[in-house]
Amino acid sequence: MRPETGTYPQYFDHYIALVEENEVQSALKNNTDEFLKFLDSLPAEKAEFAYAKDKWTLKEVLLHITDAERIFAYRALRFSRNDTTPLPSFDENEFIEFANSGKRSLQSVIDEFKTVRSATLSLFNSLDNDELTRKGIGSSQTCTALAMGFIIAGHTKHHIKVIKENYL
């Protein structure tokens, strides 16, 4: 099942629309295969490249994808467990500012993503339909665990496009 409009903040429409699959587990599995293949094709010499002043480097974009996935998966876990405690937003620019990407290799950033995605897959593979449709509040907006999974996959697809257009 796909998330229905109204079960997530409207500003995530773009990410969810990028996901072609109709089940979150297959969406995340296929997205993982696509993204890992894409990561293998990235030239190491582009790791520190930023396409404009004040834009993130390629490594920073990859760290952003991983950071956002961790946060979205955590929200999905909390929502699926019927936790209605409002969860705060996060400032992606502050996260990147303090990520120390310059001290890391491109491979270490890729390896971190693989670890996080493995945990995300495990989480979503463990959730049944009741758990997936439970709601919570993140960034002052109501969302379901199911929608969080589609947002994770769509967010990654969005950044594949950004990387192809601006970094390669």
Side-chain angles (χ1 to χ4, degrees):
M1 77 186 140
R2 291 182 66 84
E4 295 178 15
T5 302
T7 64
Y8 57 88
Q10 186 178 9
Y11 53 81
F12 285 129
D13 277 343
H14 172 69
Y15 295 150
I16 291 173
L18 292 174
V19 179
E20 297 170 4
E21 294 83 0
N22 289 321
E23 296 202 358
V24 69
Q25 293 86 356
S26 62
L28 287 167
K29 170 69 172 89
N30 294 340
N31 181 255
T32 302
D33 295 342
E34 173 189 13
F35 196 50
L36 292 179
K37 183 178 178 182
F38 177 70
L39 290 173
D40 285 342
S41 74
L42 293 177
E45 63 270 11
K46 291 283 193 170
E48 299 295 337
F49 175 74
Y51 66 92
K53 186 179 183 322
D54 297 325
K55 293 295 181 181
W56 294 342
T57 66
L58 177 59
K59 283 193 303 188
E60 289 171 330
V61 172
L62 297 176
L63 285 168
H64 162 70
I65 294 167
T66 303
D67 286 349
E69 181 156 333
R70 276 190 168 114
I71 291 164
F72 295 155
Y74 176 69
R75 288 177 181 176
L77 171 67
R78 298 274 301 261
F79 300 167
S80 73
R81 300 300 193 253
N82 212 35
D83 184 345
T84 58
T85 306
L87 301 174
S89 60
F90 73 104
D91 184 329
E92 59 196 32
N93 291 308
E94 283 189 20
F95 271 51
I96 291 305
E97 181 181 347
F98 295 100
N100 292 320
S101 67
K103 296 179 180 180
R104 303 211 25 211
S105 70
L106 178 60
Q107 190 58 54
S108 77
V109 171
I110 291 170
D111 289 344
E112 182 178 357
F113 170 80
K114 289 177 181 178
T115 300
V116 170
R117 178 52 65 95
S118 178
T120 299
L121 288 167
S122 180
L123 171 64
F124 280 93
N125 286 333
S126 75
L127 300 177
D128 65 21
N129 285 347
D130 287 338
E131 292 166 312
L132 287 168
T133 57
R134 290 181 186 145
K135 296 177 183 176
I137 299 171
S139 301
S140 302
Q141 301 287 320
T142 301
C143 193
T144 63
L146 175 66
M148 289 277 72
F150 276 80
I151 292 163
I152 290 167
H155 181 254
T156 304
K157 287 178 91 61
H158 163 78
H159 281 292
I160 289 172
K161 183 178 185 232
V162 169
I163 293 167
K164 285 180 178 177
E165 291 174 356
N166 296 307
Y167 291 85
L168 303 179

